Amino acid sequence: MRNNIFTSIVLTSALIAGGLSSCDLDRFPTSSVASEQVTSNPSETLSSLIDGAYAQLKTWSDPMHRLGEYAGDNMMIRGSSTDDFYEFITFSRTPDNYRLQNFWDYGYKAIAQASNIIDMIGETEDAKILSQLGECHYIRGMMYFYLCRAFGRPYYQSPETNLGVPIVNGTPDDMDNLSLPDRSTVEVTYQQAIYDLRIAEATLTRDDGPAYASKEAAQAMLSRIYLYMSGTYESPNTTYADSARYYADAVINSGQYTLASRDDYMNSSRTTPENYSEDIFVVKRLASEFSGYDYYYTVGGMYSNIGGMGWGEMYASAKYLELLDETGRNDWRPDQENIVDVRAAFIEPQYEQDDDGNYTEVFRFITPNSANTGYIYKQLTVNADHTSCTEGEETYTLTPTDGRDSDEEYYTINYGGVSYTGVIDYYITLNNGYPEFYITKCSREDGLDSQLHSPIISRLDEMYLNRAEAYVKMGNINEAMNDVNTIRGRAITGGEYDASEFNATTASELVDKERQLELAYQAERSYDVFRNGDSLVRRYPGPHNATEDIPATDYRVVYFIPQSAIDAYPSGSTLTQNPTSN
């Protein structure tokens, strides 16, 4: 059992024991290195070893995205799937899930490598080596936080008793009589993450772009962690909220990053992180790392088909599309394109053309399915003057929708005795009955026609939204409005709120709405819902149970500890599983 590095926290903790060598050498850009060589001449060896810790994040970042995004309400899938990620969408939690296992294993491999480097170097006054150790502390602190938010309950729910994850900082001293700790509490796990990130903040001097840890990357992660600790809007912890504000301030005022222009933001997914002014830390990927059909199996490969690569089976949810269109309709039709909200630039409907290259006008709306267990899309052929549409032998009258501009082409239909609102559009290709609203935020990096994407960990826009939420929880509504308007004003020309719209009653909803729009497809949404005590509501088309809301107190808001990790724990040690019911 201990020989299986992919199913054992034991071996991820001991991967680089003694001579820093193992059968899993692919993580190092150089061959194995003796610990004596590291401690006697660290400047020549640390860089390659730290690069090995960064390398673990590449595999880790794939399930990291799927855990965070698929359990939210920004996307939907075209049907059931045998892939283990389908459990993330349906909330049918099981401990035997290879994607969950990879998230755990590679997270702890990164922790193990960072920890062993820290332990080997020990105390030093060399500024360069201190900075390199700061990178290790950043990686370790970030990993503990990401693991804890997936496997530990939201912080506002008794963090002093609820379990987080095991804290295993380096190889145990006695491998012959191995004993490993059970899971620490959520509170203690967060304390460990904060400890590491504060060391990183204090020691990091590296400034080599967003592919590497920096002082500001540590501050950005601290801002997010304290935001997670700041309670709910109804019962905030203002001390932690102020800490979230403090660290967001530090990043915003550092002078290292600037908010991108509207045009640059719309092209951000096509821009290398090194050339995008908002990127603080990303998991850097290179085109050379992918060959053959590898792009099919990337995160972007589920959201679209680009350059002939990708399954294109997950689409923007109707809920997210409606949120994008709230201020004004985003029209993606090629001959009438009008992007109102810049976030809509990452959505690409797949319009169908006939043999002559013509599009078919339809009226698209959503209705409950025949069993009233979910929702379906309807695309009905519309007449030339948009007064009616047809389905088979039936003709339905279309009435302009009150409260929408006429050029937005919103109409109301009486269908089956019920009134529905929809929009005139071109026919979008269906996959299992669902229109293909491709998501391209995770594709086309460096202007390539491919699924290349470096997963985003921290960006400047999040700092403004972290600070806005912190301000609301501290009762500083005007400051919160200013921060939201900074992001919203870039996204929607003239979309800023005034004090009559953004007030003590509406502030929390408007902050959350902006956060959902801005951070979509960055693996944040599901955690954002539950950490503030809200329910996940998914009343839109898809194979999920659209009639079930998931409250933040549900046992399924956290993932099961992988059974492989529990099975691999040494005799006499316990790794406690999460509850299987409420």
Side-chain angles (χ1 to χ4, degrees), residues 122-396:
E123 303 234 350
T124 179
E125 295 182 2
D126 186 298
K128 180 180 179 181
I129 295 174
L130 279 172
S131 182
Q132 290 174 309
L133 294 179
E135 292 181 74
C136 294
H137 280 287
Y138 172 80
I139 291 171
R140 188 168 77 181
M142 179 179 70
M143 286 298 98
Y144 276 127
F145 169 63
Y146 270 82
L147 287 165
C148 191
R149 75 174 186 173
F151 297 108
R153 296 204 65 81
Y155 197 87
Y156 81 92
Q157 299 175 8
S158 302
E160 69 280 359
T161 57
N162 284 329
L163 296 181
V165 296
I167 295 175
V168 186
N169 292 337
T171 304
D173 293 331
D174 187 354
M175 292 298 294
D176 293 326
N177 300 288
L178 191 59
S179 176
L180 289 174
D182 199 354
R183 298 163 64 190
S184 295
T185 64
V186 168
E187 182 179 49
V188 170
T189 309
Y190 271 60
Q191 288 172 352
Q192 175 68 48
I194 290 169
Y195 166 81
D196 279 316
L197 290 165
R198 282 181 172 171
I199 291 177
E201 179 195 16
T203 57
L204 267 165
T205 58
R206 187 171 191 174
D207 184 20
D208 290 332
Y212 300 97
S214 64
K215 175 182 178 179
E216 290 76 23
Q219 291 171 331
M221 193 57 60
L222 283 164
S223 175
R224 189 191 298 171
I225 289 176
Y226 279 117
L227 195 70
Y228 273 58
M229 297 170 68
S230 67
T232 65
Y233 290 109
E234 294 74 23
S235 183
N237 183 311
T238 56
T239 299
Y240 291 143
D242 191 48
S243 293
R245 175 211 57 79
Y246 171 85
Y247 281 108
D249 268 351
V251 177
I252 292 168
N253 297 327
S254 69
Q256 296 293 310
Y257 313 96
T258 57
L259 282 176
S261 68
R262 180 180 171 91
D263 288 343
D264 286 348
Y265 180 88
M266 293 171 72
N267 287 303
S268 59
S269 64
R270 301 171 184 261
T271 306
T272 56
E274 294 82 357
N275 293 322
Y276 187 62
S277 64
E278 293 189 41
D279 280 339
I280 300 169
F281 184 74
V282 303
V283 179
K284 178 65 176 177
R285 304 306 307 267
L286 301 170
S288 59
E289 296 168 358
F290 300 90
S291 62
Y293 294 98
D294 286 352
Y295 279 130
Y296 269 94
Y297 303 97
T298 61
V299 166
M302 286 306 300
Y303 291 145
S304 62
N305 182 292
I306 293 175
M309 291 280 187
W311 306 106
E313 294 183 350
M314 292 180 178
Y315 314 122
S317 70
K319 182 176 183 177
Y320 187 71
L321 295 172
E322 183 177 351
L323 199 59
L324 284 172
D325 288 339
E326 193 173 76
T327 304
R329 179 188 175 181
N330 294 280
D331 196 338
W332 292 283
R333 287 175 289 186
D335 54 350
Q336 303 181 52
E337 187 174 63
N338 180 38
I339 300 300
V340 175
D341 188 321
V342 293
R343 282 77 64 111
F346 306 120
I347 309 299
E348 296 184 10
Q350 300 301 291
Y351 291 115
E352 187 172 281
Q353 295 175 274
D354 62 22
D355 292 340
D356 296 322
N358 298 315
Y359 300 100
T360 301
E361 273 200 322
V362 297
F363 176 67
R364 185 171 54 254
F365 64 103
I366 294 172
T367 179
N369 61 23
S370 58
N372 283 316
T373 57
Y375 300 88
I376 58 174
Y377 280 98
K378 291 285 187 179
Q379 296 192 112
L380 308 187
T381 304
V382 68
N383 66 354
D385 60 2
H386 302 167
T387 58
S388 66
C389 59
T390 59
E391 182 181 41
E393 300 297 321
E394 294 289 332
T395 298
Y396 300 92

Side-chain angles (χ1 to χ4, degrees), residues 100-117:
L100 203 61
Q101 177 184 322
N102 279 347
F103 177 70
W104 176 279
D105 286 348
Y106 281 91
Y108 271 106
K109 287 170 78 173
I111 288 171
Q113 290 183 226
S115 296
N116 278 278
I117 294 170

Side-chain angles (χ1 to χ4, degrees), residues 50-78:
I50 294 170
D51 283 347
Y54 282 117
Q56 301 298 344
L57 306 186
K58 296 177 187 289
T59 302
W60 164 86
S61 65
D62 180 279
M64 178 275 292
H65 177 98
R66 300 181 199 270
L67 266 69
E69 199 63 49
Y70 293 3
D73 53 6
N74 293 327
M75 51 73 66
M76 53 82 62
I77 189 171
R78 46 84 59 199

